């Protein structure tokens, strides 16, 4: 009888312990959220500040923030080594762009609206910067290498800016570049057609001369806001 009572008592202790841990976890997350609310950077959302605080306390990396036109938080690293093929068919790496600030966008040439809009925004931002815009190279990286050949990229980027560079490559090369920038992309097929489109994240990245992302911009950020943020970053280089 005593054994039965003890056996019933043990689950109750475990349940109380689980409840206590859950309450402490909620309190801890609430405290982190409060710190994020009061300590967020200008233009940084509370959710991004929260992830930054968690990353700082755990020593881990946070997902790419959704902030637009702000410097990335300390400890967040985007960009890095890649090997791709430009619109002339030449193999290039991040070293070919060393020393040059870049405005980078990931998309695909069959994109009906979002990609042309964001590339047009990049061009408008460079124009708004005046002579300083000449220091920045616009780069369009395909996430649809199956269809985006160098020739297709050459035709496409020429419609936007004479200095715009189009990069494509093998599926593995594109995947490597996308991972470095934490870009999401996937094929999306319709049931009634063999054609496909591409779902993908849609950020514009300001890459410093060292190949690391210095700032990123949300979709539909205005050219004026991008121009101001990029100009400020150029002054700090």
């Amino acid at each position: 009888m005593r054994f039965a009572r003890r056996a019933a008592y043990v689950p109750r202790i475990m349940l109380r312990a689980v409840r206590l841990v859950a309450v402490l976890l909620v309190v801890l997350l609430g405290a982190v959220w409060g710190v994020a609310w009061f300590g967020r950077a200008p233009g940084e959302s509370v959710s991004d500040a929260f992830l930054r605080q968690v990353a700082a306390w755990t020593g881990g990396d946070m997902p790419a923030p959704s902030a637009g036109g702000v410097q990335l938080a300390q400890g967040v690293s985007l960009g890095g080594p890649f090997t791709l093929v430009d619109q002339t068919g030449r193999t290039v790496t991040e070293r070919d762009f060393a020393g040059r600030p870049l405005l980078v966008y990931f998309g695909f040439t069959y994109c009906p609206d979002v990609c042309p809009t964001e590339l047009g925004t990049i061009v408008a931002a460079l124009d708004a910067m005046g002579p300083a815009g000449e220091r920045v190279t616009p780069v369009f990286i395909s996430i649809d290498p199956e269809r985006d050949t160098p020739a297709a990229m050459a035709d496409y980027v020429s419609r936007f800016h004479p200095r715009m560079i189009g990069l494509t490559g093998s599926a593995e090369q594109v995947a490597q570049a996308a991972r470095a920038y934490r870009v999401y992309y996937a094929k999306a097929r319709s049931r009634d057609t063999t054609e496909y489109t591409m779902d993908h994240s849609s950020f514009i990245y300001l890459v410093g001369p060292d190949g690391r992302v210095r700032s990123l911009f949300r979709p539909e950020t205005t050219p004026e806001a991008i121009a101001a943020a990029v100009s400020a970053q150029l002054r700090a280089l």
Side-chain angles (χ1 to χ4, degrees):
M1 196 70 175
R2 289 181 180 176
F3 177 79
R5 281 199 290 268
R6 288 178 180 175
Y9 185 64
V10 171
R12 287 199 295 270
I13 293 177
M14 295 178 63
L15 182 59
R16 290 175 183 172
V18 170
R19 287 175 176 171
L20 178 60
V21 170
V23 170
L24 291 175
L25 182 60
V26 170
V27 172
L28 177 62
L29 291 176
V32 176
W33 189 267
V35 172
W37 177 272
F38 291 104
R40 66 188 189 276
E44 185 180 30
S45 69
V46 179
S47 59
D48 291 337
F50 174 79
L51 291 173
R52 176 166 55 81
Q53 290 292 340
V54 171
W57 289 3
T58 61
D61 288 333
M62 61 178 280
S66 59
V70 297
Q71 189 172 1
L72 295 178
Q74 185 176 2
V76 178
S77 179
L78 299 178
F82 63 80
T83 300
L84 294 166
V85 179
D86 70 12
Q87 71 266 36
T88 69
R90 183 174 67 98
T91 298
V92 298
T93 72
E94 77 287 350
R95 293 186 295 274
D96 290 282
F97 301 96
R100 284 187 282 171
L102 314 173
L103 275 174
V104 177
Y105 183 78
F106 286 78
F108 63 113
T109 63
Y110 282 73
C111 184
D113 44 30
V114 176
C115 299
T117 298
E118 296 303 313
L119 291 178
T121 296
I122 290 177
V123 172
L126 295 179
D127 290 343
M129 292 173 62
E134 296 294 321
R135 296 174 56 190
V136 183
T137 301
V139 178
F140 177 58
I141 301 180
S142 172
I143 44 82
D144 185 19
E146 183 177 328
R147 295 181 295 192
D148 288 345
T149 62
M153 294 293 282
D155 175 68
Y156 192 75
V157 298
S158 67
R159 305 178 189 182
F160 292 93
H161 197 281
R163 292 192 296 107
M164 183 173 288
I165 295 175
L167 299 179
T168 185
S170 67
E172 293 77 14
Q173 289 172 330
V174 168
Q176 178 193 5
R179 280 194 299 270
Y181 286 81
R182 303 186 195 180
V183 172
Y184 162 79
Y185 68 98
K187 280 185 179 181
R189 294 185 182 274
S190 175
R191 294 182 179 179
D192 55 355
T193 180
T194 58
E195 296 297 322
Y196 68 88
T197 186
M198 299 293 294
D199 291 334
H200 63 97
S201 53
S202 184
F203 294 101
I204 295 171
Y205 301 85
L206 171 62
V207 181
D210 58 355
R212 295 293 178 178
V213 174
R214 301 298 182 88
S215 210
L216 72 161
F217 305 92
R218 291 189 184 100
E220 300 183 0
T221 301
T222 65
E224 293 76 18
I226 293 176
V230 173
S231 296
Q233 289 282 354
L234 289 180
R235 289 192 293 270
L237 292 177

